Amino acid sequence: MHNWKKALANARPGESKYKLLVQAVAADIEQGTLIDGQRLPPQRQVSDALGISVQTVTNAYKELERQGRVRCEVGRGSFVSRRTSERVATSMLDQTEQALMDFSNARILHTDAHDRLWRQTCLELAQEPDQPWIHAFRPIAGMQHQRESAVRWLARLGMDVGIEDVLLTSGAAHGIFLALATLAGPDDVVLCEGLTDHGAIGSSQVLGFTLKGLEMDRYGLNPEHFEDMCSNERITALVCTPNLNNPTSALMPDERRREIAEIARRYGVYIIEDDVYGPLLAGQQATRPLSHYAPELSFYCTSMTKSVLTGLRIGYLVMPKRLALRTESILRVNSWMAPSLLGEIATRWIDSGEAEDLVQLQRQLLANRQALVEQELGEHLIGNHPYSLNSWLRVPEGWETDGLLRELRRRNVALTLPDPFVPPGMPRPRAVRLCVGAECSEAKMRQGVQIVRDVFEQYPKVHDF
């Protein structure tokens, strides 16, 4: 607390002590004096040591929590928490390095067929005399014919809804954020899977709600743990990915979806379903979306980015009828409306059947690569699926997770640590994520996977720097 005391001692007349304390703690976190996961001193101890009130310390800790630098756990204390963006930056590459085989980013495969269709569509749009998607800034929910196409696409995914129930969003992450912003604030508790997409964790830090993870098995979140949490705490919402959870690729069976929906209905808990991978499974299985079983409580979101084209950042958010006006008003404040041009391209591809053709192509490409991973790394696989973008791999005995990834990077292969997917308070698994949509040839893909296999089969060095 030396730096904290020094900061307060140098305070100018009228300066807020709690803000100075926030700045001092934040500086210690940024400089590495306080490390990720380290417990902060109890508030009473800080109050006595610095000669300030407990309320001042409480206010500072709350502000640090709002900024995402600290997580406060009832009965346990306050802990340093690197912001999600920082975790992601060290675990998933923001920019691919030359000569690196990048298996760290979850993306679909890009082909010449994607490029041809994109160029053809852009040319057709450019030649049309009337182009309302260029100058439209209403309706906020999306142009009517685009929402009508969205309804048809959603029906293909097992969601039977009306046009008034649907908003166009700038991708699935945007849709999930809108749903969370509609429901949750600083006094709310939101549940998620014990391993969840990092977007939900980041949203908790922006919106200030408390995020808690649920136990999982190979089929997704544990319904018994969900019910136990609901019966013991006031839970606002559950955000989850029943189809091909990121990072585990878990696929929730229909019976469990019904059970979770019934628990949510019994306790009045809203469901936020991230079905960004749903199009890859549509028509391949009999399961309905989780939202189908409790529509009055459910936000359902999907998009084109993980199944049709990475840059086609258009999502479709289905809302409970009683909250539709509130969610649309948040969209207005947040981004006004989704880009109409991208919405128009998605609409045309849905109506022509070309979106479905690209999904079929993606299934085939993903299945080929998942088969390769299973062939080379089968004994290390914890979770995968023929149509998943990810393979979830167990870290071999003898290796530390961070050391394993450092060794792979030395060999020009990048995988993802588990850290971005672990909600506060949940254990860090001994596993890493391999994404099969890397932009490389099949030969290069095989070479990269074989490097992973070779490293997995070795013991680490005695010294790892």
Side-chain angles (χ1 to χ4, degrees), residues 102-259:
D102 181 12
F103 302 140
S104 73
N105 284 301
R107 58 183 304 163
I108 58 176
L109 282 78
H110 190 86
T111 69
D112 290 341
H114 292 87
D115 287 338
R116 284 194 300 272
L117 181 57
W118 175 261
R119 292 191 181 100
Q120 174 190 328
T121 306
C122 288
L123 182 60
E124 291 172 357
L125 289 170
Q127 292 174 340
E128 294 193 13
D130 184 26
Q131 301 188 17
W133 48 85
I134 292 298
H135 51 77
F137 62 98
R138 284 192 177 88
I140 302 300
M143 300 176 75
Q144 179 162 332
H145 73 284
Q146 295 177 359
R147 293 168 77 193
E148 288 170 350
S149 292
V151 167
R152 290 191 289 274
W153 185 255
L154 290 163
R156 172 184 171 278
L157 303 181
M159 290 293 293
D160 300 318
V161 297
I163 185 174
E164 69 281 357
D165 302 322
V166 181
L167 291 180
L168 266 67
T169 66
S170 299
H174 184 214
I176 299 303
F177 182 84
L178 290 174
L180 286 165
T182 300
L183 297 172
D187 296 327
D188 293 297
V189 177
V190 175
L191 302 180
C192 65
E193 292 122 327
L195 288 165
T196 189
D197 187 89
H198 53 84
I201 302 174
S203 293
S204 72
Q205 295 172 357
V206 173
L207 297 171
F209 59 81
T210 299
L211 187 67
K212 295 187 178 183
L214 295 170
E215 296 169 0
M216 296 179 68
D217 59 22
R218 60 180 295 194
Y219 300 113
L221 69 90
N222 184 323
E224 291 182 5
H225 192 202
F226 177 42
E227 180 156 27
D228 183 60
M229 292 290 286
C230 291
S231 63
N232 286 288
E233 296 190 49
R234 186 179 64 82
I235 305 300
T236 298
L238 166 71
V239 55
C240 62
T241 309
N243 284 333
L244 305 180
N245 164 271
N246 182 23
T248 69
S249 296
L251 180 59
M252 187 181 293
D254 187 69
E255 182 179 351
R256 183 171 297 193
R257 297 179 193 222
R258 294 172 183 269
E259 185 177 0

